[in-house]
Amino acid sequence: MPASSAPNAMAVQVTMYLMEGDEWNRRPLHLEILNYLRQESVYGAAVFHAVGGFMGRMRVKTATLVDAGGKLPLILIFVDTDEHVSRVLPRLKEMAAHRLIVRENVQIEQGTLD
């Protein structure tokens, strides 16, 4: 049984803090990243749309603000093996050069990366 299939196997989870208005090649950055991760066969990824938040020293934006359009945070999370994450991370750093990216080792409690 491969290490990634064993109970309590280790994996890497990456969290990217983006904004709705971020773009890559004139397309929404979060969608471009999802497409890239899928193309590279990353195990799983999801984007969460915040109802409020802030980045850096910006003021708090909420979904109830009329002028919030395009300025709310998005959280993109993906998980895979350390080797796979290390392979895709350089491109992601290029695509989201101006955004926070957090990488952490995690333990798989249930399921597999197969």
Side-chain angles (χ1 to χ4, degrees):
M1 179 180 277
S4 64
S5 298
N8 300 318
M10 295 306 291
V12 173
Q13 180 172 293
V14 175
T15 304
M16 301 179 71
Y17 295 84
L18 310 173
M19 297 296 283
E20 285 177 315
D22 290 345
E23 293 184 343
W24 177 257
N25 295 330
R26 299 183 189 188
R27 294 186 176 150
L29 177 60
H30 66 284
L31 293 178
E32 291 296 299
I33 291 173
L34 283 178
N35 287 330
Y36 170 69
L37 294 174
R38 181 69 185 118
Q39 174 187 342
E40 293 296 320
S41 301
V42 166
Y43 179 74
V47 176
F48 300 93
H49 192 265
V51 296
F54 67 93
M55 302 244 288
R57 305 216 186 285
M58 297 170 55
R59 71 183 188 94
V60 173
K61 302 283 186 175
T62 67
T64 58
L65 290 175
V66 175
D67 66 341
K71 296 180 183 176
L72 288 173
L74 300 175
I75 308 300
L76 188 148
I77 298 176
F78 70 95
V79 64
D80 210 322
T81 62
D82 181 56
E83 297 79 19
H84 208 169
V85 169
S86 294
R87 186 169 56 77
V88 300
L89 215 46
R91 176 76 168 158
L92 297 176
K93 288 179 179 179
E94 177 188 342
M95 294 173 80
H98 58 296
R99 295 297 179 211
L100 179 64
I101 300 174
V102 177
R103 174 187 178 142
E104 55 192 324
N105 294 327
V106 295
Q107 183 173 327
I108 299 173
E109 291 290 329
Q110 182 172 310
T112 68
L113 294 182
D114 295 334

